[in-house]
Every structure is written in C-alpha cells, then in structure tokens.
C-alpha cells in the first residue's frame, strides 16, 4: 500500500468549507495579530460603555444628553467595526 504524497504545509488552519471561521494567522492583521486584537478590544469596550451609559440614562443617574452622546458613539463604533472587518479581509486577500 502506497502512502499518498503529502502536500507542503501552507500554514492554513481553517476549514475549506468555512474559511472565515479560522483564517491564516501568519500576518499581523490576521485574527491572532496584535493590531487586530487591540482594535477589536477598543470596539468591544466602546460597545460596553455605550450600553452602560444608556442604562444609566434610563435610570436617571446621568442626564438624557449622555444617552444621545452614547448613541452617536455607538454608531461610530459600529461603523469602525465594519471598516476594520473590510480592511482585515482585504489585507488577507492581498497577502494570502
């Protein structure tokens, strides 16, 4: 019985059926890269801060104007998360 010839390792750790689940992690903007983790952390912290401000405004702990500020910051954060996702996918396509 002959063993099939093994292909060289291309450092891909994901699934061929769902490649977006675990993309290659050899570049700095990959899902394991430091820049991506920091950017994603900022977006998550902003999201949590927006939720906290909206809850505090609802309970009349802070003024209602903070709720409007929180909504604006939340919209900008959502837009930033989308732009980061597009940039990450674009850089992975160019380098991969």
């Amino acid at each position: 019985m002959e063993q099939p010839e093994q292909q060289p390792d291309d450092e891909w750790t994901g699934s061929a059926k769902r490649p977006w689940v675990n993309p290659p992690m050899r570049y700095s903007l990959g899902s394991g890269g430091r820049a991506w983790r920091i950017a994603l952390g900022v977006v998550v912290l902003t999201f949590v801060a927006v939720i906290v401000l909206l809850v505090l405004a609802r309970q009349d702990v802070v003024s209602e104007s903070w709720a409007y500020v929180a909504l604006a910051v939340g919209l900008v954060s959502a837009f930033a998360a989308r732009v980061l996702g597009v940039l990450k996918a674009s850089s992975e396509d160019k380098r991969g």
Side-chain angles (χ1 to χ4, degrees):
M1 228 181 338
E2 290 186 30
Q3 293 280 333
E5 191 175 312
Q6 289 186 345
Q7 296 183 1
D9 185 19
D10 61 357
E11 299 179 20
W12 179 258
T13 59
S15 165
K17 293 181 182 177
R18 297 183 299 166
W20 58 89
V21 173
N22 193 9
M25 298 172 64
R26 60 183 156 168
Y27 302 115
S28 64
L29 203 59
S31 63
R34 182 179 176 155
W36 176 250
R37 287 181 183 170
I38 290 172
L40 195 59
V42 168
V43 169
V44 168
L45 288 176
T46 304
F47 176 74
V48 170
V50 166
I51 296 298
V52 168
L53 272 174
L54 289 175
V55 168
L56 290 175
R58 179 78 174 165
Q59 295 175 351
D60 290 330
V61 175
V62 296
S63 67
E64 190 176 305
S65 61
W66 281 103
Y68 293 116
V69 169
L71 288 175
V73 169
L75 288 172
V76 169
S77 177
F79 179 73
R82 180 67 180 155
V83 168
L84 283 171
V86 169
L87 289 175
K88 178 186 171 293
S90 173
S91 71
E92 288 288 335
D93 285 343
K94 288 179 185 174
R95 294 182 181 187

